[in-house]
Amino acid sequence: MAAEEASRSSPRSRREPKGRAPREDKYSVLLPTYNERENLPLIVWLLVKSFSESGFNYEIIIIDDGSPDGTRDVAEQLEKIYGSDRILLRPREKKLGLGTAYIHGMKHATGNYIIIMDADLSHHPKFIPEFIRKQKEGNFDIVSGTRYRGNGGVYGWDLKRKIISRVANFITQILLRPGASDLTGSFRLYRKEVLQKLIGKCISKGYVFQMEMIVRARQLNYTIGEVPISFVDRVYGESKLGGNEIVSFLKGLLTLFATT
Amino acid sequence: MTKLAQWLWGLALLGSTWAALTMGALGLELPSSFREVLWPLPAYLLVSAGCYALGTVGYRVATFHDCEDAARELQSQIQEARADLTRRGLRF
């Protein structure tokens, strides 16, 4: 009894200078990039700002798939500016899938929580502290950003895009009853071991991959919390949602419907 | 059980109950007014479901939140970021 009390007030509870104190949480942000030379410095700047202001411990892992536009060069400059304990470069030779990018990134992640997001500024790092607070509040295994609930929303979508989005989400909710309002969103916080387990089980690609993660999470009884986010789409004008993508989305949805 | 299996079971259950009742297979003496409602019930339900879907999607599209403020804030933060990063030596 006396020995326990003595150890509780010992220096072990002070923050250790290197690595991570046993009870301190660290958040690893995985940023898969392809041709993000313009956006990468900006997203990193916003991430650093958000984490510094909120005081959470973090690292940013940039997984560049051999971008021809010089993304890697910019990433190296950022590493020099912010330090290699905050910015980790773990590039790959060529464009491989998102799932493998996450696996690759996680191998080098020293955090116990993983944040996945898009590097094109559609996801704003200011929501990350809200994700973290939500996670602590409900002790959730996953926190998912949603565009469809609360004051979540989108900027830059015309009526056609909004209709497609809502119809797709409606059909998904009816068929899969997933317990989360935004299934195709990719701005999420996961416990590291949860993400590892889920990636091992998922086989789809693209939008459907993100959907499958949530569906499998429910199957494994993981808890999911939601935080409304704003999604600023600056890319939509250049890359319209094509018939191809819609068809592959429906195929993926029906596959999940029939197999889970 | 997969979601597809759940749907098939549910439909089979409801379908067979409806069929049994409309064809009088259970030997129940049902008042004709009851049967008059029961017979077209699947069609009614289908139409109602369609209206519900249209109404829900329409409402959700109409109330889809447009994040004007977020876009503006992002723009000004981009300016700030570029200035700060240039100061720190980043070559864009």
Side-chain angles (χ1 to χ4, degrees), chain B residues 33-81:
Chain B
S33 58
F34 183 78
R35 290 183 118 203
E36 264 166 45
V37 171
L38 191 65
W39 169 236
L41 196 61
Y44 286 160
L45 288 177
L46 211 62
V47 172
S48 307
C51 291
Y52 169 76
L54 263 162
T56 305
V57 171
Y59 173 75
R60 288 177 183 171
V61 169
T63 56
F64 210 148
H65 190 223
D66 272 311
C67 307
E68 307 273 336
D69 294 336
R72 262 198 298 273
E73 180 191 44
L74 182 63
Q75 274 309 112
S76 73
Q77 281 178 332
I78 288 176
Q79 307 302 333
E80 204 188 324

Side-chain angles (χ1 to χ4, degrees), chain A residues 102-103 106 141-142 188-204 209-224:
Chain A
Y102 293 155
I103 294 173
M106 273 196 289
D141 297 308
I142 303 172
R188 299 183 186 152
L189 166 72
Y190 292 85
R191 276 191 221 276
K192 187 173 175 185
E193 60 275 15
V194 170
L195 184 59
Q196 278 167 330
K197 185 109 187 253
L198 290 175
I199 290 197
K201 290 189 154 269
C202 290
I203 52 169
S204 354
F209 170 62
Q210 302 293 353
M211 283 166 51
E212 195 185 351
M213 297 265 263
I214 295 285
V215 170
R216 301 265 173 229
R218 296 287 287 177
Q219 274 184 327
L220 294 166
N221 285 319
Y222 288 131
T223 52
I224 303 172

Side-chain angles (χ1 to χ4, degrees), chain A residues 50-51 53-54 56 125-134:
Chain A
S50 180
F51 276 109
E53 283 173 5
S54 58
F56 295 115
K126 69 179 178 184
F127 292 106
I128 292 179
E130 290 184 42
F131 282 21
I132 295 174
R133 273 190 284 275
K134 183 80 186 180

Side-chain angles (χ1 to χ4, degrees), chain A residues 2-229:
Chain A
E4 283 174 74
E5 274 161 16
S7 69
R8 225 176 283 140
S9 56
S10 78
R12 204 186 78 133
S13 53
R14 276 211 308 269
R15 220 170 108 174
E16 291 164 16
K18 266 208 291 265
R20 184 163 54 89
R23 260 167 293 145
E24 188 179 295
D25 292 321
K26 184 171 181 182
Y27 299 89
S28 301
V29 180
L30 299 186
L31 276 184
T33 61
Y34 190 73
N35 285 345
E36 293 290 1
R37 194 206 166 87
E38 297 275 317
N39 292 326
L40 186 60
L42 305 171
I43 190 81
V44 168
W45 189 87
L46 288 169
L47 279 164
V48 171
K49 176 177 153 82
S50 180
F51 276 109
S52 316
E53 283 173 5
S54 58
F56 295 115
N57 192 10
Y58 71 102
E59 63 185 358
I60 301 169
I61 303 175
I62 302 173
I63 304 135
D64 184 50
D65 280 358
S67 299
D69 72 344
T71 303
R72 184 159 171 186
D73 169 61
V74 152
E76 282 167 5
Q77 292 187 60
L78 288 165
E79 186 188 23
K80 279 203 200 65
I81 293 174
Y82 290 111
S84 54
D85 58 332
R86 291 301 190 200
I87 312 284
L88 276 63
L89 265 49
R90 299 291 178 265
R92 302 193 296 179
E93 297 284 303
K94 59 183 179 124
K95 200 170 200 296
L96 301 165
L98 198 60
T100 49
Y102 293 155
I103 294 173
H104 183 76
M106 273 196 289
K107 277 204 205 63
H108 307 282
T110 57
N112 53 337
Y113 290 96
I114 308 282
I115 292 163
I116 62 162
M117 60 189 297
D118 290 349
D120 62 0
L121 297 174
S122 52
H123 296 146
H124 198 303
K126 69 179 178 184
F127 292 106
I128 292 179
E130 290 184 42
F131 282 21
I132 295 174
R133 273 190 284 275
K134 183 80 186 180
Q135 190 281 323
K136 291 185 189 298
E137 186 187 302
N139 198 26
F140 293 111
D141 297 308
I142 303 172
V143 176
S144 177
T146 174
R147 295 161 291 179
Y148 301 130
R149 277 242 186 98
N151 60 355
V154 176
Y155 176 82
W157 280 4
D158 58 7
L159 186 65
K160 177 178 165 205
R161 183 68 181 89
K162 285 184 187 177
I163 291 175
I164 293 175
S165 176
R166 284 297 198 181
V167 169
N169 185 257
F170 181 80
I171 298 174
T172 306
Q173 295 291 327
I174 296 277
L175 290 182
L176 298 181
R177 299 194 315 274
S181 62
D182 189 347
L183 247 65
T184 51
S186 51
F187 192 6
R188 299 183 186 152
L189 166 72
Y190 292 85
R191 276 191 221 276
K192 187 173 175 185
E193 60 275 15
V194 170
L195 184 59
Q196 278 167 330
K197 185 109 187 253
L198 290 175
I199 290 197
K201 290 189 154 269
C202 290
I203 52 169
S204 354
K205 310 248 172 281
Y207 287 125
V208 188
F209 170 62
Q210 302 293 353
M211 283 166 51
E212 195 185 351
M213 297 265 263
I214 295 285
V215 170
R216 301 265 173 229
R218 296 287 287 177
Q219 274 184 327
L220 294 166
N221 285 319
Y222 288 131
T223 52
I224 303 172
E226 290 195 309
V227 168
I229 57 161

